[in-house]
Amino acid sequence: MLSGFKNFLLRGNLVDLAVAVIIGTAFTAVVTAFTGMLLSAIAKLTGGSEPNFDEFAPGGVEVGPFLTALVAFVILAAVVYFLVVTPYVKAKERYFPSAPPGTPDDVQVLKEIRDLLAAQNAGGGPAGGTGGPGDRGDTDRTV
C-alpha cells in the first residue's frame, strides 16, 4: 500500500503541479505590482490624480511595490527550487532510474531493413544488378 502511494507521489505530476501553482501565485503579485506601477506612471504623465507613492518613487513613478514583489518572487522561486524541486528530482532518480539510453525499436528496425537492402543490392541479390530504372547498383552507366 505504501509503495502505491510512493508511486503516486513520485511518478505523477503532483510536484510539478504544486510548483506551478506556487510560482503562478507569486508571479501574480509581480504582474499586479507592475501593472500598478505602469498605471501610476500613465496617471502621472497625463496629469491625473496624484497616487499615494511608496518611499522609493524616482521621478514620481511608484516602483517600490514592484521591486518588493519581484524580490519576493525570486526568493520564493529559489526556496521552491532548492527545497522542493531538487529533492524531488533526486528521489525520482533514486527510486525510478531512467531507462538506459538506446535506439528506439522502430528506428532499430528501419536500420536493419536499410542494411538488408544495402546487402542485397551490393551482393547481386534479387533486388540488385537488374539494370532496371532507378538501379543504383549499376556502375557501368554511360552519359
Side-chain angles (χ1 to χ4, degrees):
M1 179 159 57
L2 288 178
S3 66
F5 182 67
K6 179 181 73 172
N7 289 343
F8 166 72
L9 287 177
L10 296 177
R11 286 209 177 193
N13 293 334
L14 185 65
V15 172
D16 295 337
L17 182 60
V19 168
V21 168
I22 292 168
I23 294 295
T25 303
F27 192 68
T28 300
V30 172
V31 171
T32 302
F34 179 76
T35 304
M37 181 183 71
L38 188 63
L39 292 176
S40 172
I42 291 172
K44 180 75 173 169
L45 290 175
T46 59
S49 63
E50 187 72 27
N52 187 9
F53 295 108
D54 284 347
E55 292 179 25
F56 185 65
V61 177
E62 190 176 330
V63 179
F66 172 70
L67 292 177
T68 302
L70 185 62
V71 169
F73 173 76
V74 170
I75 291 170
L76 181 67
V79 168
V80 167
Y81 178 76
F82 289 113
L83 297 181
V84 176
V85 175
T86 301
Y88 169 72
V89 169
K90 288 184 181 183
K92 191 173 179 181
E93 289 172 353
R94 179 178 175 193
Y95 292 112
F96 301 103
S98 62
T103 307
D105 291 336
D106 55 346
V107 174
Q108 187 64 33
V109 170
L110 289 172
K111 286 181 179 180
E112 289 174 10
I113 292 170
R114 179 199 63 200
D115 294 342
L116 286 172
L117 288 173
Q120 282 181 341
N121 286 337
T130 60
D135 182 16
R136 294 184 179 207
D138 186 5
T139 57
D140 297 332
R141 292 186 189 186
T142 57
V143 180

